[in-house]
Every structure is written in structure tokens, then in C-alpha cells.
Amino acid sequence: EMVRCTVAGAGNDHRLGAQEAPPAIISLYPGQGFETFMESIVAGGDLLGYKAEKKKQATGCSAAMHIEAPVEDRNRTAPFPFCGNRFEFRAVGSSQNCCFPVMVCNAIMSAGMAHMAGLIEGGMSHRDAVAQVFKENKHVIFTGNGYSAEWPVEAEKRGLPNLNTTPKAIATWNSVKNKKLLETLKIYTEEETEARQEVMYENYISSMCCEVETMVQMTETGFLPACAKDLEKYKGFEKLAGSRKTVYESIVEHLEKLKTSFSSKPHGGLPEEALYLCDTVKPLMAKLRTAVDAAENLMEQGVYPYPTYEAMIYSHHF
């Protein structure tokens, strides 16, 4: 949960689980070769022997030489894939500061090393200590497809949380085990951990409110006037207008529902407000966006008030 919290944010909720970003379920992908090697250690095998050497990859072209490739596949559906000589944490959003995720990753690494040192100091051999840590934590290793429908089901069986929205993730930040870890490592006091959670909630709420207000303003000052102008051109030509009237009026309906819902958001506490914005307001934003997208496909290009998807994606061809 702690690692998931470090990448929680309104923008990242749209990204995780798609667009070559990992899902919200935090897991480790060391590769199938390393997973097999780890299982051998747990079963009593030696610690040494694994080599992450590169391999020759065939190109499928007789005129081209084989190319060097990492021994393990770089799984883009994993939060922590092994990339030949390092692990990457691929869940951090582009607008997020990396210092928070790095701090938590280092804290978890420190806690793991301290746990292993405790086993060794308690009389366990180095080999057995490593095997014990692998055995305790191998449920986080997943070498399959993180986008598959089967993975959330399997993750639940393993006890891995699927915190697929920011409010769900933030709610776990101040858990007893997290507070104890951060205080033991002298990173945060209990009060500072609580304060960090409050800041995360406020950041999410501020981002969502800004997005809603911007969406309403864009619709009222841009899309609705453009719809009226476009519809005006079809007066007396109802058959040519097609579904424009219905589509344009649906924008108004969804806009009013969004404004009503947003004005009714609770102010009793940060968790309640964040959940309301996520579970109640955000779905209405998606419906309004769908209606506006439909209008984009009908409206005359010169009347549409903002750059279209086509212009944004393929503008370099124009």
C-alpha cells in the first residue's frame, strides 16, 4: 500500500493500467529465469549461480545480424520490471516529483535489509536468511500479463490490494504498519505521517475541483456557443442536421447534472470529499466528455472551439 500511495494522484488514475503504464496492483517482475532461480533457493539451493547475461535475438531477417537483448523480457505491464541491470519503478506519473517514491522505495529496502540482518544475527545462515525472505515475499512476484483480467483475481488470492483509485490508496497511508515502519526508520513521526496523508487528500481534491471547474467553463463558454452556431446553419434543413440537435442537447443535460453534483459535494472531512469526487463526480465528467466527443464528430471544423484530437495528434502532418 505504501508504494501505491507514492504514485496516487488525479492524473495518474487515468494512466495506471493502460498506455504502457502498470496496473494499480503493485508487483515485482524479475523475469521467469530469476523466478525459477528464487524458487530453487527457497527449496534449499545455493545463493550463487544466476547470471543476467544478454542473449542474441533473431530479427527474422536473413540480411540482418542478430541483436543483443536482455536475458529477461522488459515487461511494460509490471510496476517493477527487471531491465537487464536494474529494476525500474514505472508507475510514477509525469507530473509527480520522484523524491517521494524514491524515499519510500529506499525505506522499504532498508526495512527488508534490517529484517534479514535480524535473522542472521539471530543465528540463521546467510543462505537460509535469504531463502526465508524470498519465501515470505514471493507472493509479490508476478511474471505474467499485468493487463489481463485474470491478474486482479490472482492478486486478491495472494493478498495484494487493488487500490485502483487515489482515495482508496491514500486511505491506507496511515495504517499501523506504515506508521511503525516510518517511525522506526526515523523518517516520519506519527504526526508527520498523518500530515502527509492530509496533504495527499488536499492535493487530490484541489486537482479534481480544478478539473471540474475548467470542464464546466470550457463547455459553457466554448462548446455550447459552438453547438448553437453549428445548429443555426441547419435551420430549414432538418434532414441534413441529422442527430446534431439530440447530441448537442445531451451536452446541456450532462453539464447540468455535473454542476448539480459538484455543488452538492460534502465538506465534512477530506476522505469523504475525495471519495465523493472520485465515485460520484468523476463518472459524470466522463459522460459529459463522451457527449462532447460525439459533437466533435458532427461539428463543422471552423466552428469547433478547441483543437480536435486529430489536430493534436497529427498536427505535424498538416
Side-chain angles (χ1 to χ4, degrees):
E1 297 95 339
M2 186 183 289
V3 176
R4 172 66 179 93
C5 286
T6 67
V7 295
N12 220 18
D13 278 359
H14 296 289
R15 170 179 170 266
L16 294 179
Q19 291 87 44
E20 293 195 0
I25 305 168
I26 302 300
S27 63
L28 187 75
Y29 179 90
Q32 295 177 348
F34 186 86
E35 183 181 29
T36 301
F37 182 68
M38 179 207 67
E39 293 288 359
S40 71
I41 294 174
V42 173
D46 192 70
L47 290 179
L48 304 178
Y50 178 77
K51 292 183 179 180
E53 296 177 342
K54 292 188 175 182
K55 59 183 178 181
K56 294 292 184 178
Q57 183 72 43
T59 62
C61 176
S62 59
M65 295 174 59
H66 289 191
I67 58 174
E68 275 195 343
V71 66
E72 301 289 2
D73 174 47
R74 182 184 179 187
N75 190 335
R76 294 179 181 273
T77 70
F80 278 99
F82 182 63
C83 301
N85 59 355
R86 70 196 184 281
F87 280 97
E88 290 182 350
F89 184 32
R90 305 190 65 253
V92 183
S94 61
S95 63
Q96 293 176 307
N97 193 319
C98 288
C99 68
F100 188 33
V102 169
M103 180 274 286
V104 168
C105 288
N106 286 339
I108 292 170
M109 183 71 177
S110 299
M113 291 296 101
H115 174 57
M116 190 180 298
L119 294 176
I120 295 171
E121 290 168 0
M124 192 175 286
S125 69
H126 289 69
R127 198 220 72 84
D128 290 348
V130 173
Q132 179 66 24
V133 171
F134 276 151
K135 185 177 181 179
E136 292 171 353
N137 297 282
K138 67 179 183 178
H139 64 290
V140 305
I141 293 178
F142 178 63
T143 55
N145 179 7
Y147 287 174
S148 68
E150 293 78 19
W151 172 225
V153 178
E154 174 61 24
E156 186 177 4
K157 292 178 182 177
R158 298 184 184 198
L160 299 178
N162 184 11
L163 306 172
N164 55 2
T165 66
T166 293
K168 286 182 182 179
I170 298 175
T172 67
W173 170 256
N174 66 340
S175 65
V176 175
K177 67 173 184 176
N178 287 357
K179 287 180 180 177
K180 182 179 178 182
L181 171 65
L182 294 169
E183 198 160 13
T184 300
L185 295 176
K186 301 186 185 303
I187 296 173
Y188 287 146
T189 63
E190 185 172 330
E191 292 77 13
E192 288 170 332
T193 302
E194 296 281 359
R196 168 64 77 169
Q197 183 187 51
E198 187 171 328
V199 169
M200 286 192 285
Y201 271 128
E202 288 184 343
N203 181 274
Y204 178 78
I205 291 168
S206 297
S207 297
M208 286 298 298
C209 288
C210 182
E211 287 185 14
V212 173
E213 290 166 2
T214 301
M215 190 177 211
V216 170
Q217 185 180 40
M218 289 178 68
T219 304
E220 291 184 332
T221 63
F223 291 118
L224 293 186
C227 288
K229 287 179 183 178
D230 190 59
L231 202 57
E232 180 71 21
K233 296 181 179 182
Y234 291 92
K235 275 191 174 180
F237 302 95
E238 284 71 20
K239 287 187 177 180
L240 293 180
S243 61
R244 281 174 173 78
K245 189 174 187 295
T246 303
V247 172
Y248 295 170
E249 287 180 351
S250 72
I251 294 177
V252 179
E253 293 171 7
H254 290 303
L255 175 64
E256 291 306 315
K257 289 178 182 178
L258 175 61
K259 289 167 64 177
T260 301
S261 177
F262 183 59
S263 63
S264 303
K265 67 183 174 72
H267 298 282
L270 296 177
E272 293 80 10
E273 189 173 354
L275 275 172
Y276 181 84
L277 287 168
C278 180
D279 297 340
T280 304
V281 176
K282 192 164 73 168
L284 295 176
M285 294 174 70
K287 290 180 180 179
L288 176 57
R289 179 255 174 94
T290 300
V292 171
D293 284 352
E296 178 184 335
N297 292 326
L298 296 172
M299 196 174 296
E300 183 182 342
Q301 187 174 10
V303 178
Y304 197 75
Y306 302 107
T308 62
Y309 287 121
E310 182 182 23
M312 288 189 287
I313 297 173
Y314 302 111
S315 60
H316 57 290
H317 291 305
F318 298 152

